Amino acid sequence: MIEQRRILATPLPGPRSQALAERKLAAVSAGVGIALPVYIEAAQDGILRDIDGNQLIDFGSGIAVTSVGNGSARVIDAVQRQIADFTHTCFMVTPYEEYVAVAEELAKLTPGEHEKRSALFNSGAEAVENAVKIARSATGRQAVVAFDHAYHGRTNLTMGLTAKNMPYKHHFGPFASEIYRVPMAYPYRWPTENCLTEAFAEFTAMVHAQIGEENTAAVIIEPIQGEGGFIVPPDGFLTQIADYCREHGIVFIADEIQSGLCRTGDWFACDHEGVVPDLVTTAKGLAGGMPLAAVTGRADLMDAVHSGGLGGTYGGNPVACAAALAAIESMRADDLCAKARAIEDTVVPRLKEIADRTEVIGDVRGRGAMLAIELVSDLEKKTPYPELTAAVNKACHARGLVTLTCGTFGNVFRFLPPLTIAPELLDEGLGLLDEAFDEALGATAAGG
Ligand code: PLZ
C-alpha cells in the first residue's frame, strides 16, 4: 500500500531520474518524447511514487487508462492468478473463456439492447483500424469520414484519421486514401451561435458533394474528443449524425477509447444522449492498465467479415482479459460512474474560480472525470495561449502534480484523475493548480 499523500523529497526530476534520463537518451529513440521525466517505481490510486522517493498526485491516469486506479486489489489478484495458469495460447489457435467473457461484458455494457459481437485487440489504434475494416467489409463501400480535431491513433490508417500534424503525422506520410475530413461541432470556436445546425448541415453537404452517401462506409467520431482538446459537441449533434448514418446505410463508429467505461460519468459518453452506435471502440480504461482493446457492435456487421479476417497474435491476451474482467467488476461494484460525477462536482467549480480570477480561461468543459480548460490570451478574440498552458503545466509538474495538456492549438489543459482518487488528493491537486496559475501568470506578466 502506498500512503495517499504527496511527498517532495527532491526537486523534480530527482538525481536518480536524471541519471535514467541520460540512459534513456543513449538507448531509447529520440522519437519517443516524455512529458515529465520522473521515473516511477510504484503507484496506487491517486499517487505515483518515483525512484527518488517523491510521491506525485496523478491527474493523468497514464492518459485515461488507470480509471480503476493502479494497485487495484481485484486487478492484481486476477492478473496473478491468470499468469500462474497460462499467459498465452493465441485465441485464434486454442481459445479460452476469458476472451468470451470480456466480449459478453462489452455486449452488456455498450449502448443499445441489440445483438452484439466483439473482437479483441492490443491497442486503441488497432481497434480503430479493425472497426474500419469491418465497416468496409460489411458495406462494400470504402470512404471513411472523420472530424476536425480528431485523434484515432498513430498507425498508418489511424494517422490518416487523426487531424493534427505535429507531432502525430509530420514526415510520416503518405497516408491511407479514402479518408475525408469534416468540421467538428466545436461550440467554443464555432463562429456563430448555431453550431449544432450549421455543423450538421456542413457535414451532410460535404458527404453528399465530395463522397456520395452510397460510397460512404463509415463515420467515425469521438463522442467527446480527447487529444484534440476535450471538445464536447452540442447536445443533439451525435444523435443527428447517428440518425443520418442509419438513413444512408453508413456505419456509425463511436471511438470511446478515451471517453468510455465510466470516465465521463456514464458507462459510455454516447449514453449521455442515448446514442446507439453501430460499432464502438474501447481500450485504455478497459483492462486496468493492461493492453487490451475491442471493437463491439451490431452482430450483422461484426459477423459479415469472413472467418479468419480479424485477429492478431496477442489480441485478447488472457492476462489482459482477466484484468479487464476485474476492472469491469470494480467499475460496477464501486460505482465508478458515480465517482466520476463526484469528481466533476468538485473540479468544475474550482476551474470556474480560476477562470474568474485569471481571465485567461475561455472555456471550462467536459463531463465526469474528463474535464478541461481552454487557455486564451484574449477572451474576446479567443486567441490560443499555448505558452501559458505549457508554463502552468510545468509549474504543476514542479509541485508534484502530474497534469496533461492537449488540443489542436496546444492550449487545453486536461484533467483525467483515476476515478478512485481520494477526495483530499483531488482537493490538494486543485490547490497546486491554483498556485501554478499564479506562478505562470506572474512569470508571463514579468515578460518571462
Ligand atoms: N482513439 C479517442 O484517445 C489514444 C494517445 C497518446 P492507442 N489517446 C492517447 C499518444 O500521444 O499516443 C487514443 C484515443 C482515441 C484512439 C487512440 C489510440 O489508442 O492505444 O494509443 O493506440
Side-chain angles (χ1 to χ4, degrees):
M1 289 295 268
I2 299 178
E3 201 187 342
Q4 294 297 293
R5 188 163 78 85
R6 182 178 64 121
I7 298 174
L8 285 185
T10 69
L12 296 176
R16 289 185 169 170
S17 279
Q18 287 183 30
L20 263 168
E22 290 294 313
R23 282 172 56 194
K24 187 252 175 197
L25 212 59
V28 179
S29 163
V32 182
I34 288 181
L36 172 54
V38 158
Y39 283 73
I40 302 304
E41 66 169 18
Q44 184 167 6
D45 293 317
I47 290 288
L48 305 173
R49 187 174 75 212
D50 79 0
I51 55 177
D52 289 290
N54 298 296
Q55 293 199 170
L56 287 66
I57 300 177
D58 185 8
F59 272 15
S61 302
I63 323 191
V65 170
T66 52
S67 297
V68 301
N70 266 295
S72 150
R74 277 194 194 91
V75 172
I76 293 172
D77 186 51
V79 165
Q80 285 177 339
R81 273 188 290 128
Q82 183 57 46
I83 284 181
D85 286 347
F86 66 99
T87 53
H88 178 82
T89 62
C90 185
F91 189 75
M92 302 185 303
V93 179
T94 48
Y96 37 87
E97 181 181 353
E98 289 77 7
Y99 188 120
V100 179
V102 170
E104 288 168 348
E105 285 287 19
L106 286 168
K108 276 186 237 156
L109 297 174
T110 51
E113 302 299 316
H114 53 288
E115 203 177 329
K116 296 172 197 159
R117 307 279 187 267
S118 288
L120 304 185
F121 305 98
N122 304 291
S123 68
E126 211 188 336
V128 170
E129 290 240 13
N130 278 281
V132 171
K133 282 162 67 172
I134 293 160
R136 285 178 171 158
S137 172
T139 59
R141 307 173 182 179
Q142 295 185 349
V144 180
V145 179
F147 287 80
D148 278 340
H149 311 287
Y151 184 92
H152 296 293
R154 293 176 182 263
T155 58
N156 187 266
L157 176 61
T158 58
M159 263 194 298
L161 295 168
T162 292
K164 189 176 175 177
N165 176 49
M166 258 324 217
Y168 309 121
K169 303 167 76 167
H170 192 63
H171 292 166
F172 294 148
F175 304 110
S177 59
E178 286 308 309
I179 292 170
Y180 298 83
R181 195 168 306 286
V182 294
M184 176 63 183
Y186 186 171
Y188 177 63
R189 293 200 174 271
W190 199 264
T192 71
E193 294 294 301
N194 307 318
C195 178
L196 175 62
T197 49
E198 290 176 11
F200 182 66
E202 284 193 33
F203 162 79
T204 56
M206 285 178 76
V207 173
H208 182 73
Q210 298 183 18
I211 316 170
E213 296 80 357
E214 67 279 20
N215 301 319
T216 306
V219 172
I220 182 164
I221 190 166
E222 304 153 81
I224 296 182
Q225 287 183 320
E227 305 305 307
F230 280 32
I231 299 163
V232 187
D235 274 354
F237 186 67
L238 297 172
T239 304
Q240 287 186 356
I241 302 271
D243 290 349
Y244 171 90
C245 286
R246 194 163 303 120
E247 186 187 330
H248 295 284
I250 299 168
V251 178
F252 178 69
I253 306 171
D255 181 348
E256 292 256 17
I257 285 166
Q258 190 152 167
S259 58
L261 294 156
C262 301
R263 178 52 56 185
T264 64
D266 289 300
W267 276 98
F268 289 90
C270 279
D271 292 333
H272 179 72
E273 262 183 54
V275 173
V276 178
D278 299 312
L279 300 178
V280 179
T281 54
T282 50
K284 290 193 185 278
L286 177 58
M290 298 296 287
L292 186 68
V295 182
T296 304
R298 272 168 48 194
D300 60 318
L301 302 175
M302 298 292 298
D303 285 344
V305 180
H306 55 282
S307 176
L310 304 175
T313 306
Y314 290 112
N317 169 272
V319 182
C321 285
L325 294 171
I328 290 168
E329 194 186 328
S330 285
M331 291 173 200
R332 268 206 199 93
D334 303 337
D335 198 353
L336 294 190
C337 287
K339 292 233 158 66
R341 291 193 293 269
I343 288 171
E344 176 179 349
D345 292 342
T346 303
V347 175
V348 167
R350 297 284 293 273
L351 298 179
K352 288 191 170 153
E353 267 171 43
I354 300 179
D356 289 343
R357 179 165 72 74
T358 60
E359 300 193 338
V360 292
I361 296 175
D363 199 20
V364 178
R365 60 178 178 247
R367 278 204 304 274
M370 185 171 182
L371 301 168
I373 45 183
E374 179 160 351
L375 276 60
V376 291
S377 56
D378 183 322
L379 283 176
E380 283 285 299
K381 297 198 185 107
K382 305 185 176 178
T383 319
Y385 205 169
E387 304 82 5
L388 182 68
T389 312
V392 175
N393 201 35
K394 210 171 142 211
C396 286
H397 292 177
R399 285 167 171 75
L401 178 66
V402 180
T403 47
L404 301 169
T405 62
C406 64
T408 299
F409 315 113
N411 67 325
V412 178
F413 209 87
R414 57 173 154 173
F415 304 91
L416 289 164
L419 306 181
T420 56
I421 193 169
E424 303 74 39
L425 278 186
L426 191 62
D427 188 61
E428 187 181 351
L430 290 165
L432 297 172
L433 179 72
D434 256 319
E435 288 177 26
F437 261 95
D438 288 342
E439 182 188 312
L441 280 168
T444 46

